[in-house]
Amino acid sequence: SLNIPAVKVLQAIGVQTAQRYLRSVGIELDDRDANLSLALGSMTYGTSPMQMAAAYAPFANGGTYYAPYFIERITDRDGNVIYERETIGTRVLSAQSAYLMTSLLKTVISSGTGTRLSSAGTPVAGKTGTNSDQKGVFFAGMTGYYSSALWVGHDNYKALSSKSTGS
């Protein structure tokens, strides 16, 4: 991963624009997060894998954000719907921006640090990463149907092997 281009993009669009997006997809920010290190994921409170998966979903959804949920529908034994979740989305990006971001994230899979996912049997786009102190690695990304994120590390923040990478 190249950090300098990410910081330059954030500098060009403005920290406030990035903060607006992050808040629109449910990521909490602190006033101390208003700086260029936000481009590298530096946040006072960090994020959870669920928040990251939700933040990546609008790229695959044409710019529409849907709050994460676990239960879509409950039926009784006869197939009658007892509960069905209403999915109401919010536009957080233009369709053009979502398309461009997805295109960039596909490159990570086709020729970047996530090439191992190119054999998944479905189009995948995403981002790999490693904490600078080797205390965790992550992947966040999406297919046309699902978004996901995972973090691998020790719950006591013990450093991983120097060979550990997000890819």
Side-chain angles (χ1 to χ4, degrees):
S1 299
L2 301 174
N3 294 334
I4 293 172
V7 173
K8 286 188 176 204
V9 167
L10 180 58
Q11 191 170 28
I13 67 168
V15 172
Q16 289 180 334
T17 299
Q19 287 181 305
R20 249 189 326 275
Y21 176 76
L22 292 170
R23 287 184 174 116
S24 75
V25 295
I27 295 176
E28 292 181 42
L29 297 171
D30 185 270
D31 291 341
R32 294 172 285 182
D33 299 330
N35 59 70
L36 293 176
S37 68
L38 187 60
L40 308 179
S42 176
M43 290 175 268
T44 303
Y45 301 114
T47 62
S48 70
M50 185 174 73
Q51 288 172 310
M52 290 302 293
Y56 273 69
F59 304 145
N61 290 332
T64 302
Y65 169 77
Y66 297 92
Y69 60 93
F70 293 102
I71 299 173
E72 186 170 318
R73 177 183 311 119
I74 299 172
T75 60
D76 65 16
R77 66 180 171 205
D78 298 321
N80 299 312
V81 177
I82 297 170
Y83 166 82
E84 188 158 14
R85 183 182 192 289
E86 286 187 41
T87 54
I88 300 170
T90 304
R91 176 153 305 277
V92 295
L93 287 172
S94 70
Q96 180 182 19
S97 292
Y99 174 84
L100 291 171
M101 193 65 181
T102 299
S103 179
L104 288 169
L105 294 170
K106 284 181 179 178
T107 304
V108 172
I109 308 304
S110 66
S111 60
T113 54
T115 55
R116 290 183 185 194
L117 285 170
S118 63
S119 63
T122 189
V124 179
K127 172 77 178 88
T128 64
T130 306
N131 296 79
S132 62
D133 54 6
Q134 283 303 115
K135 292 185 179 174
V137 296
F138 74 89
F139 173 80
M142 70 281 184
T143 69
Y145 299 103
Y146 302 104
S147 64
S148 65
L150 67 101
W151 178 83
V152 176
H154 299 286
D155 59 1
N156 64 0
Y157 299 107
K158 177 183 166 196
L160 298 173
S161 158
S162 61
K163 296 179 182 181
S164 299
T165 68
S167 61

